[in-house]
Amino acid sequence: MTNQSENDRIAEATYPQVIDRLRAQLAFLVTCDRLKNVVRTTHLHDGSRAENSAEHSWHLALTALTLAEYAPPDVNLPRVVELLVIHDLVEIYAGDLYFGATDEQHDEQALQEQAAAQALFGLLPVDRRGHFQKLWEEFEAKQTSEARFAKALDALQPMLLTWGEGGKGCLEREPDLTARRLLMLKEKHLQAFPALWRWAQQMIDEATRLGTIAAG
Amino acid sequence: MTNQSENDRIAEATYPQVIDRLRAQLAFLVTCDRLKNVVRTTHLHDGSRAENSAEHSWHLALTALTLAEYAPPDVNLPRVVELLVIHDLVEIYAGDLYFGATDEQHDEQALQEQAAAQALFGLLPVDRRGHFQKLWEEFEAKQTSEARFAKALDALQPMLLTWGEGGKGCLEREPDLTARRLLMLKEKHLQAFPALWRWAQQMIDEATRLGTIAAG
């Protein structure tokens, strides 16, 4: 077929120039496969097992597409999705942090994550490293509308899995996580999104009534 | 704080109008959590376990962001990412199909997936169902540049996990999957992307040499 032989000809001509780039990009993607083995403290909604950071990142991207209307009108939604797809990648080298970690643990983790970002994005062709590094820094800094909305969804999704309708709670796994403490941890990320924050509070009130979280 | 009380006031005023929408959207997101329990035939790159469709979808979104330069210049990349985030959702109700399924099995699966799409997207507020339904139909039809590129990545990613550098192959799990048969199955999705197709062929040549796939 003409199309095929034409494609083959193009491939033949351009391949030597792209092979090094492609090899680097595919090595990056194979390394990123390891995010599927990074286990979070949150469990799936059915309680069957802990969630991993790769499927969590997918769920957040879907959450952004589904809850787009709750973002401020100036938010660039594709950017939110990009932030969410890459936001946990550094955990491949740095691991995930427990929600109740101390300030010292957070500082230590931040240093480890910076080194992890450099190592991981360093696998990419030189001219692409900056793009991924900037995305990750933007998410961490939470200074843009996109990063704030992404972070709000990242705060909301584990609540939905744990205490959303039919959720099992996490009384046994996290006996110290009371409703009061949980809402205190979540408020700073969610309060700028009134409908989401209101819903989160209502869900936790209901969970307290059902006994899947302690009032505290 | 002023900001907080202002947010509370807005939340108070708008919440009754959004609560039904939000409840429907969150029910959809909780249902979508089940994609994390849909197991694929492909294993992780380290061979430790089968991949699930949720983490596969995340890996594809990341693959699109990483390999964007191999898409034709007219491709709307955020659309590709959207297609990839939602492309497997119907498996929640319809399950995944084995790569070697017969034409009859594919026809039967197509009917089940149509019903699944209707049931799943039907959980969303009426005015949002069409958006997700259209995305899914676009991916399935493979008529747009975005859907073709998304499908090419969907064809490439499991090859990368299975036979990419250090990959374990799948000789025991799939003894009938020879190099010849694999490339025949992949060609229609990949040949329009010369660098990716060339790399895929080269990777399978190398796997044949290493003995992680039979020549066939």
Side-chain angles (χ1 to χ4, degrees):
Chain A
M1 291 185 300
T2 317
N3 269 355
Q4 186 47 34
S5 63
E6 204 176 307
N7 281 336
D8 285 348
R9 205 171 39 72
I10 297 167
E12 206 64 50
T14 60
Y15 198 65
Q17 294 141 46
V18 301
I19 184 69
D20 284 345
R21 292 185 68 76
L22 192 48
R23 187 181 289 121
Q25 288 155 335
L26 297 172
F28 170 75
L29 287 170
V30 165
T31 302
C32 290
D33 194 55
R34 292 159 58 181
L35 195 63
K36 298 168 189 168
N37 280 331
V38 174
V39 175
R40 291 166 46 81
T41 50
T42 303
H43 280 213
L44 301 193
H45 185 67
D46 67 7
S48 58
R49 62 170 173 83
E51 191 187 32
N52 71 59
S53 291
E55 60 198 5
H56 161 69
S57 300
W58 164 78
H59 209 176
L60 283 180
L62 182 68
T63 300
L65 299 179
T66 307
L67 302 183
E69 67 197 74
Y70 305 99
D74 67 327
V75 161
N76 174 349
L77 196 74
R79 182 82 179 177
V80 174
V81 173
E82 267 196 283
L83 292 171
L84 291 170
V85 167
I86 66 95
H87 83 291
D88 269 347
L89 277 179
V90 295
E91 294 177 359
I92 288 170
Y93 295 133
D96 192 14
L97 200 64
Y98 175 65
F99 73 89
T102 63
D103 285 352
E104 287 74 24
Q105 287 172 317
H106 277 288
D107 290 347
E108 173 61 24
Q109 179 74 5
L111 286 176
Q112 282 185 23
E113 289 189 353
Q114 277 167 28
Q118 210 159 13
L120 187 65
F121 303 138
L123 296 173
L124 289 163
V126 177
D127 62 332
R128 289 296 288 163
R129 292 174 192 170
H131 177 71
F132 283 84
Q133 179 76 28
K134 271 186 202 140
L135 279 172
W136 177 69
E137 286 173 2
E138 179 180 338
F139 180 83
E140 290 296 309
K142 296 185 269 296
Q143 296 300 307
T144 62
S145 295
E146 287 75 16
R148 287 201 188 102
F149 187 58
K151 184 64 211 180
L153 301 182
D154 190 30
L156 192 67
Q157 184 259 3
M159 298 177 78
L160 183 61
L161 294 192
T162 312
W163 299 281
E165 201 174 330
K168 317 279 187 223
C170 57
L171 279 174
E172 283 184 29
R173 294 197 309 280
E174 312 288 357
D176 298 336
L177 188 60
T178 62
R180 191 165 162 274
R181 182 152 178 237
L182 176 73
L183 290 173
M184 214 172 65
L185 288 164
K186 300 290 182 179
E187 183 175 17
K188 61 179 175 293
H189 303 304
L190 286 168
Q191 66 175 3
F193 307 94
L196 302 183
W197 177 225
R198 172 83 178 254
W199 174 79
Q201 291 171 289
Q202 201 168 300
M203 176 180 58
I204 297 307
D205 284 351
E206 177 67 6
T208 309
R209 201 183 61 76
L210 289 171
T212 53
I213 193 166
Chain B
M1 292 185 300
T2 317
N3 269 354
Q4 187 46 34
S5 64
E6 204 175 307
N7 280 336
D8 285 349
R9 205 171 38 72
I10 297 166
E12 207 63 49
T14 60
Y15 198 65
Q17 294 141 46
V18 302
I19 183 68
D20 285 343
R21 292 184 69 77
L22 192 49
R23 187 180 290 123
Q25 288 155 333
L26 297 172
F28 170 75
L29 288 170
V30 165
T31 301
C32 290
D33 194 55
R34 291 159 57 180
L35 195 64
K36 299 168 190 170
N37 280 332
V38 175
V39 174
R40 291 166 47 81
T41 51
T42 303
H43 280 214
L44 302 192
H45 184 67
D46 67 8
S48 59
R49 63 169 173 81
E51 191 188 32
N52 71 58
S53 291
E55 60 198 6
H56 162 69
S57 299
W58 164 78
H59 209 177
L60 284 180
L62 182 68
T63 301
L65 299 179
T66 307
L67 302 183
E69 67 197 75
Y70 305 99
D74 67 326
V75 160
N76 174 350
L77 196 73
R79 182 82 180 177
V80 174
V81 173
E82 267 196 282
L83 292 170
L84 291 170
V85 167
I86 67 95
H87 83 290
D88 270 347
L89 277 180
V90 296
E91 294 178 359
I92 287 170
Y93 294 135
D96 192 15
L97 201 64
Y98 174 65
F99 73 88
T102 63
D103 286 352
E104 287 74 24
Q105 287 172 317
H106 277 287
D107 290 347
E108 172 62 24
Q109 179 74 5
L111 286 176
Q112 283 184 22
E113 288 188 354
Q114 276 166 28
Q118 210 158 15
L120 188 65
F121 303 137
L123 295 173
L124 289 163
V126 177
D127 62 331
R128 289 297 288 162
R129 292 173 192 171
H131 177 71
F132 283 83
Q133 179 76 29
K134 272 186 202 139
L135 279 172
W136 177 69
E137 285 172 3
E138 180 179 338
F139 180 83
E140 289 296 308
K142 296 185 269 296
Q143 296 302 306
T144 62
S145 295
E146 286 75 16
R148 287 201 189 101
F149 187 58
K151 184 65 210 179
L153 302 182
D154 190 30
L156 192 67
Q157 183 260 2
M159 299 177 77
L160 183 62
L161 294 192
T162 311
W163 299 282
E165 202 173 331
K168 317 280 187 222
C170 58
L171 279 173
E172 282 184 30
R173 293 197 310 279
E174 312 288 356
D176 298 336
L177 188 61
T178 62
R180 191 166 162 272
R181 181 152 178 239
L182 177 73
L183 290 174
M184 215 172 63
L185 288 165
K186 299 291 183 180
E187 183 175 15
K188 63 179 175 291
H189 303 304
L190 286 168
Q191 66 176 2
F193 307 93
L196 302 182
W197 177 226
R198 172 83 177 255
W199 174 79
Q201 290 170 289
Q202 201 168 300
M203 175 180 59
I204 297 306
D205 283 351
E206 177 67 7
T208 308
R209 202 183 61 74
L210 290 170
T212 53
I213 193 167

